[in-house]
């Protein structure tokens, strides 16, 4: 039953057709290449100060029920309960650590020790539930491009989930050694991992092309398969990410670190623009967030965009020590562009056509004025390494390279503006995932050690137990060996599916 309270989803490139949340999750990406967006951003229906004794799971329900309005209470609570369980190594799920006048929101306590677990622990459950609700008979083939972390988190989430197969494409030379090992050792009959000779943007474009290949879709349906996506273009990933911004504010309230209604700033190390977009949604739902601070590494397209209003991907792709942010086409920015264009799908589609043809578009001045709550900056490689060392020496707290990019940008923002509001920094990966870069930043003497010697060394320095995700891969056998060219991705998929 559709009521006035229901939220429907439409494509950012054609908003004539509106579908319920479960169908948007199943589809992943719209046929026209657009991303699904809710027809409005709902407001929280209870005061934040009344949530201070709620668990992560309870807050997740309060947030997600407002978006996934065609899921029953039982369905949604069931998905949440299965997702946020003992796979996380802390009951808090997303603890806040205070260090050097900032609150690090640790989003890396899930199965694969990066923030992608926050959404990918629940996406398979949402998808299976959605498939049942919509009487989908076909096997769901999850197609995913990864800059390193999504791949493993999606593999872990979908491994051996009945009625699904998962195929992950990653840039063969563009991920950390630990990230690669995590993926190629993945167990599960339904898991497939392929390295491509290309970068993340190539992988993402390849996947988007496969999605919009109508001929292939027909062929797939004939054989009983349908595609979906585990990338952050899937609205089923964005919604669970809103939860932890609500949770962070509630935790600050609970611990008396912030007054009710007092605004905080958030800093997000950004790649595909999914995480910071979730913070933007949280702000629009009523969480008192002042500035949304977008931190980039040397692939600073977004910094330039916020500064000039021009999005220009025509530049050299740089491999950095924060590989999960090595991206020149930030897909989720499209959801923001659509919104600041006045929810105008035609106008948005023109920008996106320009991006794909010329690699560039420029927003209007009027649109630019709606971005005043965003601030963009970036951190160079040396600044990032210096920040890891400095924070460690000052406080003993060790952050990973991505979080360090955010930490540098946080300071640049504060120095530039004098705005010293309480600040939450999204801490997106465990330092154990990027051990070599982290340890080299602390001291060059570590250069000669092996990856796993470094893991043990880091454990000692940080006084943190080696996470299970790392223990698991120490001795695990490599199970996936396939590598292909970037223009052979479709053939690789057909081969796996035997079609
Ligand atoms: C994916 C990822 C990011 C970037 O997040 P987006 O939502 O793509 O902007 C940052 N840090 C880490 C560790 C990641 O895995």
């Amino acid at each position: 039953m559709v009521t006035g309270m229901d939220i429907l989803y439409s494509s950012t490139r054609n908003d004539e057709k509106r579908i319920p949340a479960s169908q948007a999750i199943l589809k992943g990406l719209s046929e026209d290449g657009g991303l699904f967006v809710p027809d409005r951003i709902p407001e929280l229906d209870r005061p934040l100060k009344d949530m201070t004794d709620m668990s992560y799971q309870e807050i997740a329900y309060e947030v997600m029920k407002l978006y996934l309005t065609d899921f029953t209470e039982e369905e949604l609570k069931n998905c949440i309960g299965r997702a946020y369980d003992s796979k996380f190594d802390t009951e808090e799920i997303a603890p806040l650590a205070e260090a050097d006048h900032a609150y690090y929101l640790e989003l890396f306590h899930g199965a694969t020790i990066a923030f992608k677990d926050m959404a990918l622990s629940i996406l398979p459950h949402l998808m299976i539930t959605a498939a049942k609700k919509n009487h989908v008979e076909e096997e769901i083939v999850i197609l995913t491009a990864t800059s390193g972390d999504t791949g493993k988190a999606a593999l872990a989430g979908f491994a051996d989930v009945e009625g699904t197969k998962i195929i992950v494409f990653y840039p063969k030379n563009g991920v950390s050694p630990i990230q690669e090992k995590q993926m190629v050792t993945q167990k599960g009959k339904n898991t497939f991992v392929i390295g491509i000779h290309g970068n993340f943007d190539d992988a993402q474009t390849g996947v988007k092309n496969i999605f919009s290949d109508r001929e292939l879709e027909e062929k797939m349906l004939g054989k009983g398969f349908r595609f979906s996506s585990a990338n952050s273009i899937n609205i089923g990933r964005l919604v669970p990410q809103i939860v932890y911004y609500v949770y962070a504010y509630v935790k600050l309230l609970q611990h008396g670190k912030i007054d009710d209604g007092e605004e905080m700033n958030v800093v997000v190390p950004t790649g595909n623009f999914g995480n910071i977009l979730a913070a933007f949604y949280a702000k629009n739902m009523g969480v008192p967030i002042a500035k949304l601070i977008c931190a980039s590494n040397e692939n600073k397209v977004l910094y330039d965009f916020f500064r000039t209003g021009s999005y220009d991907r025509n530049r050299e792709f740089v491999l950095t020590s924060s590989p999960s942010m090595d991206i020149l086409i930030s897909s989720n920015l499209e959801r923001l562009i659509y919104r600041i264009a006045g929810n105008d799908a035609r106008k948005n589609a023109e920008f996106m056509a320009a991006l794909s043809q010329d690699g560039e578009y420029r927003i209007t001045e009027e649109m630019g004025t709606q971005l005043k709550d965003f601030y963009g900056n970036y951190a160079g490689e040396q600044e990032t390494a210096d920040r890891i060392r400095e924070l460690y020496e000052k406080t003993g707290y060790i952050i990973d390279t991505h979080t360090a990019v955010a930490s540098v940008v946080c300071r640049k923002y504060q120095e530039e503006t004098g705005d010293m509001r309480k600040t939450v920094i999204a801490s997106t990966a465990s330092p154990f995932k990027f051990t070599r870069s982290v340890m080299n930043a602390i001291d060059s003497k570590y250069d000669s050690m092996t990856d796993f010697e470094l893991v043990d060394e880091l454990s000692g320095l940080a006084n943190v137990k080696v996470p299970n995700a790392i223990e698991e891969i120490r001795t695990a056998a490599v199970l996936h060996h396939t590598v292909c060219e970037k223009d052979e991705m479709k053939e690789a998929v057909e081969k796996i599916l035997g079609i």
Side-chain angles (χ1 to χ4, degrees), residues 114-116 149 269-275 324-325 400 402 428-429 434:
F115 97 97
K116 304 296 195 291
D149 291 330
T270 297
N272 225 359
F273 209 75
N275 201 358
S324 304
M325 296 159 65
D400 96 290
H402 303 74
T428 49
F434 301 95

Side-chain angles (χ1 to χ4, degrees), residues 1-8 20-23 68-72 75 133-134:
M1 192 179 67
V2 177
T3 74
M5 292 296 289
D6 278 312
I7 289 200
L8 293 171
S22 66
Q23 289 176 23
L68 309 185
T69 52
D70 71 326
F71 285 65
T72 66
E75 285 169 343
K133 293 177 83 66
N134 290 283

Side-chain angles (χ1 to χ4, degrees), residues 336-384:
L336 183 64
I337 297 295
Y338 169 80
R339 189 181 162 93
I340 63 174
N343 295 337
D344 185 334
R346 186 171 310 171
K347 208 158 147 194
N348 174 66
E350 281 168 18
F351 287 125
M352 296 308 138
L355 180 63
S356 109
Q357 277 149 35
D358 315 323
E360 184 180 4
Y361 61 84
R362 174 179 287 281
I363 59 169
T364 64
E365 227 160 89
E366 202 282 314
M367 288 167 72
T369 60
Q370 297 178 62
L371 296 176
K372 63 179 188 331
D373 295 332
F374 283 90
Y375 168 89
N377 213 324
Y378 74 103
E381 288 292 274
Q382 193 57 47
E383 291 174 304
T384 304

Side-chain angles (χ1 to χ4, degrees), residues 23-276:
Q23 289 176 23
I25 290 171
L26 278 172
K27 278 182 176 273
L29 189 70
S30 173
E31 293 99 14
D32 50 41
L35 278 61
F36 288 110
V37 280
D39 53 13
R40 68 194 152 83
I41 298 183
E43 268 179 49
L44 286 167
D45 60 6
R46 66 165 73 201
L48 289 157
K49 67 172 176 3
D50 292 355
M51 296 194 200
T52 50
D53 52 7
M54 282 190 185
S55 65
Y56 189 90
Q57 294 80 354
E58 287 167 328
I59 291 179
Y61 178 69
E62 288 303 315
V63 174
M64 292 176 65
K65 70 171 190 195
L66 300 171
Y67 286 93
L68 309 185
T69 52
D70 71 326
F71 285 65
T72 66
E73 175 170 352
E74 191 193 346
E75 285 169 343
L76 195 51
K77 285 190 170 164
N78 181 33
C79 291
I80 291 170
R82 283 163 177 260
Y84 305 111
D85 61 5
S86 58
K87 289 192 286 301
F88 285 77
D89 66 9
T90 160
E91 267 177 36
E92 287 180 284
I93 307 294
L96 277 173
E98 189 174 356
D100 198 21
H101 311 293
Y103 298 93
Y104 288 85
L105 178 61
E106 295 186 351
L107 303 173
F108 55 76
H109 289 272
T112 75
I113 61 175
F115 97 97
K116 304 296 195 291
D117 290 324
M118 301 305 296
L120 283 164
S121 309
I122 193 164
L123 184 68
H125 301 292
L126 295 175
M127 207 170 271
I128 293 300
T129 308
K132 280 201 195 109
K133 293 177 83 66
N134 290 283
H135 311 290
V136 168
E137 306 275 325
E138 297 89 24
E139 185 166 7
I140 298 172
V141 180
I142 306 293
L143 214 54
T144 294
T146 184
S147 56
D149 291 330
T150 292
K152 180 61 185 186
L155 287 162
F158 281 97
D160 289 327
V161 170
E162 214 168 297
T164 71
K165 279 191 176 36
I166 168 148
I167 306 174
V168 168
F169 291 98
Y170 74 96
K172 178 70 189 150
N173 299 314
V175 300
S176 86
I178 302 244
Q179 286 178 313
E180 181 169 39
K181 185 99 195 264
Q182 278 188 304
M183 288 190 278
V184 296
T185 57
Q186 178 65 45
K187 294 184 187 139
K189 294 192 294 300
N190 65 337
T191 66
F192 303 89
V193 180
I194 302 174
I196 68 157
H197 290 129
N199 60 36
F200 171 72
D201 288 322
D202 297 323
Q204 179 158 260
T205 303
V207 164
K208 281 187 179 171
N209 289 342
I210 297 175
F211 270 117
S212 42
D213 186 329
R214 290 287 79 87
E215 214 175 294
L216 181 61
E217 188 185 11
E218 284 298 308
K219 201 161 141 194
M220 296 265 298
L221 282 173
K223 301 278 181 182
F225 294 114
R226 66 148 76 199
F227 284 130
S228 189
S229 167
N231 278 106
S232 57
I233 50 179
N234 193 317
I235 195 74
R237 264 191 64 184
L238 191 64
V239 170
Q241 292 181 181
I242 303 168
V243 173
Y244 46 77
Y245 291 105
V246 178
Y247 182 76
Y249 192 82
V250 169
K251 285 291 132 178
L252 290 176
L253 270 181
Q254 184 191 349
H255 296 124
K257 302 288 188 186
I258 206 164
D259 294 328
D260 187 27
E262 182 184 341
E263 286 180 319
M264 64 176 182
N265 291 332
V266 299
V267 191
V268 185
T270 297
N272 225 359
F273 209 75
N275 201 358
I276 193 165

